[in-house]
């Protein structure tokens, strides 16, 4: 099974406004705040075929998405695209994965002078199936209310770096889901060598989503912003790494 990326989720708990401002400062165009029927709030950073989702919780009122509150702040969701969530559930169940029932939800969308409803069906693996974070599949019933021309921006998500204590076993676990060239699994020692100056890792988890590589940005402008707002960063030829300590992650920008 081929696993096309749908989106990556960055969890902010109750600090979504702070995360949204930071990503906007770094030059990303964010969608207006969305309100899920499940009780969460979000902003999206839309690319042509996939997106980043900044997600959070509005306050302590119910309904409160416990799965978000119980997940760590930072990159906590890897979401693949599916055209049939129910069929994906059957396929993965038959392959021996522990899965949750398909979940249906929606959010209202306002775009320019138009308004509508974005509707989704998601198929989630059981919590803890992958120690790095939540892994699930998303079926878009109304993609026209997600991919709006006014929100699209240059670039794409090139890779997600997963740090794992057991590199080979972790890579094999993801390979059981299907084929993807998105994931790059490295050891804590490799992270320390490549990224440790920017963001030392301090976790006892078996694995974690640690960095996102994104193409198509103006590295000089991003570097200037990172310096102005005090984010640790390092520039090399054709590459800029920016640490976001509040979200325990690194954004790695490339100019291709």
């Amino acid at each position: 099974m081929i696993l096309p990326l749908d989106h990556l989720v960055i969890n902010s708990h109750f600090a979504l406004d702070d995360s949204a401002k930071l990503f906007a400062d770094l030059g990303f165009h964010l969608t207006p705040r969305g309100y899920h029927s499940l009780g969460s709030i979000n902003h999206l950073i839309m690319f042509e075929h996939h997106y980043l989702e900044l997600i959070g919780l509005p306050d302590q009122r119910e309904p409160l998405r416990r799965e978000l509150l119980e997940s760590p702040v930072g990159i906590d969701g890897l979401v693949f695209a599916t055209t049939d969530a129910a069929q994906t559930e059957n396929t993965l169940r038959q392959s021996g994965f522990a899965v949750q029932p398909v979940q249906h939800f929606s959010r209202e969308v306002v775009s320019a002078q138009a308004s509508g409803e974005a509707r989704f069906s998601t198929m989630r693996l059981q919590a803890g199936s992958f120690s790095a974070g939540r892994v699930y599949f998303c079926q878009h019933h109304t993609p026209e209310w997600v991919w709006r021309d006014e929100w699209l921006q240059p670039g794409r998500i090139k890779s997600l770096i997963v740090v794992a204590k057991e590199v080979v076993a972790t890579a094999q676990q993801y390979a059981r889901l299907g084929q993807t060239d998105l994931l790059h699994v490295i050891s804590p020692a490799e992270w320390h060598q490549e990224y440790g100056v920017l963001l030392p890792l301090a976790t006892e988890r078996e694995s974690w989503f640690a960095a996102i590589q994104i193409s198509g940005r103006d590295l000089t402008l991003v570097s200037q912003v990172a310096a102005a707002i005090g984010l640790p960063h390092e520039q090399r030829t054709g590459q800029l790494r920016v640490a976001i300590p509040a979200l325990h992650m690194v954004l790695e920008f490339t100019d291709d």
Side-chain angles (χ1 to χ4, degrees):
M1 182 167 61
I2 304 297
L3 301 176
L5 175 66
D6 191 78
H7 65 282
L8 299 178
V9 183
I10 300 173
N11 189 351
S12 300
H13 285 183
F14 297 103
L16 180 60
D17 287 345
D18 294 339
S19 296
K21 182 181 185 307
L22 189 151
F23 276 80
D25 287 345
L26 288 172
F28 292 104
H29 180 52
L30 276 62
T31 63
R33 174 173 290 190
Y35 297 83
H36 291 130
S37 56
L38 297 175
S40 48
I41 54 179
N42 73 353
H43 293 278
L44 305 182
I45 296 171
M46 301 300 307
F47 303 109
E48 184 177 3
H49 299 295
H50 48 242
Y51 56 95
L52 284 175
E53 179 179 22
L54 308 181
I55 200 165
L57 299 164
D59 49 40
Q60 294 288 353
R61 293 176 298 177
E62 300 293 341
L64 190 64
R65 286 187 69 177
R66 296 290 171 182
E67 67 188 273
L68 296 181
L69 189 58
E70 294 168 0
S71 296
V73 167
I75 310 168
D76 107 299
L78 167 59
V79 189
F80 295 111
T82 178
T83 57
D84 190 330
Q87 181 58 51
T88 299
E89 177 188 5
N90 292 333
T91 299
L92 293 181
R93 194 184 300 276
Q94 292 172 8
S95 298
F97 285 97
V99 299
Q100 302 180 44
V102 173
Q103 186 176 46
H104 309 283
F105 63 102
S106 63
R107 61 178 171 83
E108 297 298 319
V109 177
V110 176
S111 170
Q113 303 303 313
S115 62
E117 182 182 57
R119 294 183 291 107
F120 317 89
S121 294
T122 56
M123 197 296 300
R124 303 170 186 272
L125 278 76
Q126 291 289 355
S129 295
F130 289 84
S131 57
R134 298 176 301 134
V135 177
Y136 57 101
F137 292 76
C138 182
Q139 178 181 357
H140 289 267
H141 299 289
T142 54
E144 68 275 13
W145 287 110
V146 178
W147 278 271
R148 309 286 293 178
D149 288 343
E150 66 179 292
W151 297 332
L152 294 179
Q153 55 208 289
R156 66 183 178 91
I157 298 171
K158 295 179 64 176
S159 67
L160 172 63
I161 295 175
V162 184
V163 181
K165 295 179 179 178
E166 300 292 337
V167 172
V168 174
T170 299
Q172 291 174 341
Q173 185 185 24
Y174 284 103
R176 287 185 59 221
L177 282 173
Q179 300 177 32
T180 176
D181 58 2
L182 173 74
L183 301 178
H184 182 41
V185 184
I186 66 174
S187 69
E190 289 175 295
W191 175 274
H192 178 74
Q193 180 177 355
E194 286 292 317
Y195 302 90
V197 172
L198 291 176
L199 186 70
L201 289 174
T203 179
E204 296 301 319
R205 294 160 60 191
E206 290 300 311
S207 66
W208 50 96
F209 299 136
I212 299 171
Q213 188 179 68
I214 298 175
S215 71
R217 316 305 296 183
D218 186 320
L219 304 190
T220 299
L221 289 179
V222 176
S223 177
Q224 291 172 349
V225 171
I229 61 180
L231 293 178
H233 60 285
E234 177 186 51
Q235 188 161 4
R236 304 178 182 181
T237 302
Q239 180 188 80
L240 171 68
R241 293 172 175 173
V242 179
I244 305 178
L247 294 172
H248 313 299
M249 62 175 287
V250 167
L251 286 174
E252 187 169 323
F253 300 95
T254 64
D255 57 10
D256 58 337

